[in-house]
Amino acid sequence: MSKRRIKKVAIVGSGIMGSGIACHFANIGVEVLLLDIIPRELNAKEKAKGLTLEDKVVRNRLVNDALTASLKSKPSPIYHQKFASRITTGNIEDDITKVADVDWIMEVVVERLDIKKQVFETLEKHRTPGTLITSNTSGIPIKFMSEGRSEDFQKHFCGTHFFNPARYLKLFEIIPGPKTDAAVLNFLNGYGEQFLGKTSVVAKDTPAFIGNRIGIFSIMSLFHAVKDMALTIEEVDKLTGPVIGRPKSATFRTVDVVGLDTLVHVANGIADNCKNDERLELFKLPDFIDTMMKNNLLGSKSGQGFYKKQVSNGKKEILSLDLNSLEYRASKKAKFATLELTKPIDKVIDRFKVLIAGKDKAGTFYRKTFAALFAYVSHRIPEISDDLYKIDDAMKAGFGWEHGPFQIWDAIGVDKGLELIKEENLEVASWVSDMLTSGSASFYTVNNGASYCYDIKTKTQVKIPGQDAFIILDNIRTSNEVFKNSGVVIEDLGDGILNCEFQSKMNTIGGDVLAGINKAVDLAEKNYEGLVIGNQGANFSVGANIGMIFMMAVEQEYDELNAAIKYFQDTMMRMRYSSIPTVSAPHGMSLGGACELSMHADKVVAAAETYMGLVEFGVGVIPGGAGSKEMALRASDTFRKGDVELNTLQEYFLTIGMAKVSTSGYEAFDLGVLQKGKDIVVVNKDRQIAVAKQQAKLMADMGYTQPVKRTDVKVLGKQALGMFLVGTDAMEDSNYISAHDKKIANKLAYVMAGGDLSEPTLVNEQYLLDLEREAFLSLCTERKTLERIQHMLKTGKPLRN
């Protein structure tokens, strides 16, 4: 059998979901044909221009308007706006024949079986046999969709359910039809993971599949509990947000974003089609939801839902819905003693035991909701999946949970979970008792760096498939540990490559982390072949430990502060000029010092979702960990003859001065913090450490040699400094920047110009590092800088003063 490749896809239906999926295929380099219906009447603009329904611009209006709206939406569905050129638009009448040339056709039209079947009938007339054909549906049974279609169609047909937004949510459910070829399922499973960067889950053809069946149960169960427990919506959102590893939008804000009507549609589908569900009563809508639906309180799409934004006296205010009166009121801050107890516990997985032991309303809430969730998921096996890990994968990837239900159950102990279930007078599925009888005391185990989970068919722990492309640091941290301090763990990844993993709060870079990086370089140079700096936390690192800088500056311990900054700079240079290849693996927030660190590695393997930039202006300083020096060096490397030199330097200067942050790994190339031809981007973050290790090994095998220190950095001196100072004066005069912004910008200008040298000069890196450190220190003596740092520490937001 020849190897299937996806070079071109057709997406039929350009709504929010269709356009989002089209953008994500464009993200990974695939050519996309996006089709939709033609309008039945002209709009006012078209009439004014004298157009007719036969004009192409009219016939493609719906698809073009939908794609344009999608590309303008925030957060953006596309890694880089130029990738949109990979999408061609058309309409179902004029362009349907083009589907004959694609490798995969995906239907993303309205959730109505009759309309989907009409679309498939049309597509079959033009589809080339052997072409993949799938439906993106959130719950219509797949078996009904392919009825009456040809054998070749049915063999290559299944459901492929992306979650919205397609770029950001990782779940990719694959649902076989009655006649889907196993090879098609295997291909899509691998393609979703390797190319689309998704967590692929093959689900059974049951109502709402896996993610929505469990996710909607969780929300409906809360809808019923909220009144019984006399909780406010703010209290529920406080209890079901980041404290338990769920998104900030928690429960009610999430429903507002998704749309209450969407949620009700799926809940009704489950209620109508899952008559044997033991918790069927929970899918019946509570009265307050019925009333909200009638009053069009659907969330963001109708301008009001559980929350409502209003502007009074020029100030934005968020109001909350009182679930008893269904009137809006001022938001109330929610606070619980049990949550206070979890504040010192950094790892979410370690909080669950504390939460269920709470003596207040929060403790009761967690005991009740986890009992209900544990009992419910136990009964869904084997109904919706034979494998319990698929339920956990679906909840993590589709709903943004840090831990799935079975992982949480393991964290509090299987026996303890059974105790909670009993207290709530709920029943658990019999296979859980079988598991304990068989000698398995937990749902998951780790063996030789691999994850295993309990299998109900064999009644043993089996290795979870698909791990071989990943390195899971949680699984190897203890067994492969080479060194550890309070800031880092250094692990042996095998094949002569070490990994240095940050362990500080929010992975900030302080003294212990710097000591750990130096230790890692020392160890790698002595006994190994290469070094990766990577972790699998929520974010790579939010940058240097500004709390430490603030304390030193307030205490006026300038010698210590100078030494600390020099230590940071020296560590960056140690990484750059070590005798082994160094690879940085940034993902999520990779800000300030974390960006500086990546810029000094031999290679960066960034995740597609990397938000990277030098943001130090926000706290009143310039990049002081060799970042200002590095931007001057990179500008110098791109200089050409004439005035272009000034323009190039100005671009790099503005990247720092405007604290620009990339909204994807690909955008980081535009900012100059990643380098074309050297650094790479991976779409699936789960593969990132393995790819980084591969790259380090490849460099070592190709005969890596220690770089020679640079003495040829061209700085422009007074010529550039004058231009910068004129620019900052003009910006202050037009009230674009404050006096303190100007002071910071002028300090940066001095560093990047190489001081006030009378003519362009070649300098070494240490010269620029000394200028950078001096500027950083002088800014730390400024009251307004200390105010900015303090504000950031208190609020997490920058202060403009």
Side-chain angles (χ1 to χ4, degrees):
M1 184 180 146
S2 63
K3 185 162 173 63
R4 188 185 286 278
R5 285 189 169 79
I6 304 296
K7 300 184 284 293
K8 192 170 182 179
V9 301
I11 310 283
V12 182
S14 67
I16 291 172
M17 203 70 228
S19 291
I21 294 169
C23 286
H24 194 56
F25 274 101
N27 279 338
I28 64 163
V30 174
E31 200 182 331
V32 182
L33 174 67
L34 181 63
L35 303 177
D36 213 323
I37 57 173
I38 59 169
R40 295 284 166 236
E41 52 187 42
L42 296 170
N43 64 23
K45 274 187 188 169
E46 290 161 346
K47 283 177 186 166
K49 286 181 181 172
L51 297 171
T52 72
L53 287 172
E54 294 312 306
D55 285 302
K56 191 171 182 185
V57 67
V58 176
R59 294 174 77 78
N60 287 353
R61 184 214 324 145
L62 297 178
V63 67
N64 287 334
D65 285 358
L67 180 59
T68 302
S70 183
L71 289 168
K72 283 181 180 169
S73 66
K74 287 201 166 46
S76 174
I78 206 147
Y79 292 148
H80 197 290
Q81 287 297 322
K82 70 181 181 192
F83 294 174
S85 64
R86 296 167 181 164
I87 304 170
T88 306
T89 54
N91 67 72
I92 290 172
E93 292 185 23
D94 302 333
D95 304 290
I96 195 74
T97 54
K98 295 175 183 172
V99 303
D101 303 327
V102 306
D103 308 296
W104 180 353
I105 304 167
M106 189 183 302
E107 165 276 308
V108 198
V109 302
V110 64
E111 284 285 84
R112 268 181 51 189
L113 181 61
D114 57 336
I115 293 175
K116 287 182 185 286
K117 290 186 85 162
Q118 281 170 26
V119 170
F120 292 136
E121 192 168 335
T122 307
L123 287 169
E124 184 152 31
K125 289 173 188 162
H126 304 283
R127 167 186 168 270
T128 302
T131 304
L132 293 173
I133 180 150
T134 69
S135 171
N136 187 75
T137 175
S138 56
I140 295 176
I142 305 303
K143 58 178 181 271
F144 297 147
M145 290 190 202
S146 55
E147 282 174 349
R149 302 268 62 84
S150 70
E151 196 166 313
D152 183 83
F153 186 109
Q154 295 196 46
K155 183 180 167 184
H156 293 95
F157 175 76
C158 65
T160 45
H161 182 208
F162 286 81
F163 274 56
N164 188 30
R167 167 182 164 181
Y168 297 94
L169 286 181
K170 284 191 66 181
L171 183 56
F172 179 59
E173 290 181 317
I174 302 155
I175 310 98
K179 295 184 180 173
T180 311
D181 188 337
V184 166
L185 298 177
N186 288 337
F187 171 79
L188 288 169
N189 196 46
Y191 187 87
E193 184 272 312
Q194 187 178 352
F195 292 92
L196 290 164
K198 301 295 179 191
T199 299
S200 302
V201 174
V202 177
K204 293 187 178 184
D205 191 8
T206 54
F209 314 131
I210 297 178
N212 277 336
R213 183 72 177 274
I214 307 303
I216 301 297
F217 164 80
S218 293
I219 293 171
M220 293 303 290
S221 148
L222 280 177
F223 281 172
H224 289 278
V226 68
K227 284 256 178 129
D228 298 342
M229 293 188 65
L231 290 161
T232 65
I233 63 169
E234 295 97 328
E235 285 175 329
V236 172
D237 276 357
K238 181 82 174 173
L239 295 167
T240 57
V243 70
I244 57 167
R246 309 271 169 90
K248 274 185 186 166
S249 54
T251 302
F252 290 109
R253 276 187 202 284
T254 299
V255 175
D256 273 357
V257 171
V258 171
L260 186 63
D261 52 343
T262 306
L263 178 105
V264 165
H265 174 73
V266 182
N268 286 340
I270 297 170
D272 294 343
N273 298 299
C274 298
K275 298 298 182 193
N276 295 328
D277 190 306
E278 75 289 350
R279 300 307 305 273
L280 188 62
E281 81 285 352
L282 286 181
F283 291 97
K284 307 248 166 65
L285 304 178
D287 294 344
F288 72 90
I289 297 292
D290 261 340
T291 310
M292 286 177 74
M293 287 290 288
K294 283 173 193 151
N295 295 341
N296 203 36
L297 306 183
L298 306 180
S300 306
K301 63 176 79 172
S302 64
Q304 50 188 0
F306 290 105
Y307 295 95
K308 177 183 178 179
K309 271 185 197 165
Q310 80 168 23
V311 179
S312 55
N313 302 326
K315 275 192 173 181
K316 278 185 188 170
E317 190 186 3
I318 302 217
L319 303 178
S320 308
L321 192 68
D322 183 299
L323 294 180
N324 294 314
S325 67
L326 291 187
E327 299 287 333
Y328 288 99
R329 54 160 175 76
S331 288
K332 298 174 184 170
K333 214 167 170 61
K335 207 171 179 186
F336 297 97
T338 295
L339 299 194
E340 296 300 310
L341 297 175
T342 63
K343 281 190 172 168
I345 306 171
D346 283 345
K347 285 194 172 171
V348 171
I349 198 75
D350 297 331
R351 294 177 192 160
F352 294 108
K353 279 185 175 171
V354 175
L355 295 173
I356 60 158
K359 301 282 189 279
D360 56 359
K361 203 196 279 192
T364 308
F365 172 84
Y366 289 123
R367 288 189 290 277
K368 280 179 175 295
T369 52
F370 285 138
L373 179 63
F374 297 161
Y376 192 74
V377 294
S378 77
H379 287 289
R380 301 290 69 79
I381 292 173
E383 182 201 346
I384 64 174
S385 170
D386 294 329
D387 307 298
L388 62 89
Y389 73 85
K390 287 183 180 174
I391 287 181
D392 281 356
D393 280 355
M395 296 319 296
K396 291 188 288 182
F399 283 79
W401 293 15
E402 198 170 319
H403 306 286
F406 290 106
Q407 290 174 316
I408 297 169
W409 195 344
D410 264 354
I412 68 167
V414 178
D415 285 334
K416 184 66 184 171
L418 291 172
E419 197 183 296
L420 298 183
I421 292 167
K422 201 173 176 186
E423 281 168 16
E424 291 301 310
N425 296 316
L426 296 169
E427 297 279 327
V428 74
S430 58
W431 66 263
V432 181
S433 314
D434 294 345
M435 178 183 87
L436 295 172
T437 310
S438 74
S440 284
S442 60
F443 299 107
Y444 292 96
T445 51
V446 172
N447 196 354
N448 291 329
S451 297
Y452 288 71
C453 82
Y454 180 75
D455 174 55
I456 65 164
K457 292 192 284 290
T458 61
K459 298 189 178 180
T460 59
Q461 292 275 341
V462 296
K463 187 179 176 183
I464 299 171
Q467 292 174 72
D468 298 336
F470 306 156
I471 291 171
I472 303 167
L473 295 176
D474 279 350
N475 290 356
I476 64 165
R477 191 174 296 114
T478 310
S479 56
N480 295 27
E481 184 186 301
V482 176
F483 171 85
K484 181 180 184 177
N485 68 15
S486 62
V488 305
V489 176
I490 300 171
E491 302 109 345
D492 183 350
L493 298 180
D495 300 319
I497 307 298
L498 285 181
N499 182 67
C500 180
E501 179 187 13
F502 300 171
Q503 294 274 290
S504 52
K505 192 169 180 70
M506 296 186 79
N507 290 340
T508 51
I509 304 170
D512 282 350
V513 169
L514 294 171
I517 294 169
N518 280 293
K519 181 70 175 176
V521 175
D522 289 344
L523 289 167
E525 285 186 327
K526 198 173 175 186
N527 298 314
Y528 296 86
E529 291 183 43
L531 172 66
V532 172
I533 297 185
N535 63 67
Q536 289 166 334
N539 296 295
F540 178 64
S541 167
V542 295
N545 182 345
I546 58 170
M548 179 189 75
I549 294 166
F550 181 70
M551 291 309 293
M552 287 182 189
V554 165
E555 300 291 334
Q556 296 184 9
E557 293 170 346
Y558 297 125
D559 287 347
E560 286 91 332
L561 188 51
N562 182 48
I565 301 159
K566 188 168 189 312
Y567 188 35
F568 202 128
Q569 290 181 336
D570 290 349
T571 304
M572 299 304 99
M573 301 303 279
R574 176 93 178 88
M575 271 178 62
R576 165 152 302 168
Y577 294 109
S578 63
S579 60
I580 42 95
T582 56
V583 177
S584 171
H587 60 89
M589 284 195 280
S590 305
L591 305 173
C595 178
E596 291 175 300
L597 181 149
S598 291
M599 290 166 77
H600 285 83
D602 290 302
K603 193 177 194 80
V604 180
V605 174
E609 296 303 340
T610 299
Y611 318 121
M612 195 173 193
L614 297 163
V615 295
E616 287 82 354
F617 262 54
V619 288
V621 292
I622 67 166
S628 302
K629 173 276 302 177
E630 184 61 18
M631 287 303 249
L633 181 148
R634 291 187 179 194
S636 159
D637 284 348
T638 59
F639 284 164
R640 299 287 179 269
K641 286 181 183 169
D643 288 339
V644 179
E645 292 186 345
L646 283 175
N647 297 345
T648 304
L649 186 64
Q650 188 174 31
E651 274 180 43
Y652 283 87
F653 173 82
L654 287 173
T655 293
I656 299 176
M658 295 171 76
K660 291 181 183 177
V661 176
S662 70
T663 65
S664 73
Y666 292 97
E667 274 191 8
F669 289 103
D670 295 350
L671 302 184
V673 292
L674 291 188
Q675 293 182 298
K676 289 187 171 101
K678 181 178 87 109
D679 301 326
I680 60 172
V681 175
V682 292
V683 179
N684 191 333
K685 186 162 83 85
D686 295 337
R687 287 178 166 242
Q688 190 183 13
I689 300 289
V691 173
K693 173 192 164 181
Q694 236 170 32
Q695 294 293 324
K697 179 78 179 137
L698 188 63
M699 282 190 275
D701 289 348
M702 287 172 74
Y704 181 86
T705 39
Q706 184 166 333
V708 177
K709 292 199 172 178
R710 297 282 301 269
T711 56
D712 60 345
V713 184
K714 186 178 184 181
V715 292
L716 304 178
K718 280 183 173 169
Q719 181 193 3
L721 188 56
M723 175 192 71
F724 286 138
L725 297 183
V726 168
T728 58
D729 273 346
M731 289 175 87
E732 187 191 22
D733 289 345
S734 57
N735 292 323
Y736 192 74
I737 59 174
S738 68
H740 193 54
D741 288 328
K742 177 180 160 183
K743 187 174 280 187
I744 307 162
N746 287 350
K747 294 275 186 189
L748 176 66
Y750 192 82
V751 176
M752 291 188 73
D756 56 1
L757 300 169
S758 56
E759 60 183 21
T761 309
L762 297 181
V763 299
N764 62 28
E765 286 178 90
Q766 193 57 52
Y767 171 81
L768 287 170
L769 288 170
D770 292 342
L771 288 182
E772 173 189 283
R773 194 170 67 256
E774 198 180 302
F776 187 99
L777 274 168
S778 71
L779 286 167
C780 287
T781 65
E782 298 279 345
R783 181 177 59 80
K784 289 199 167 180
T785 286
L786 296 182
E787 284 170 5
R788 287 190 181 194
I789 298 177
Q790 189 173 29
H791 191 266
M792 179 62 78
L793 288 168
K794 274 187 177 173
T795 67
K797 292 176 182 155
L799 169 72
R800 294 300 300 273
N801 58 355

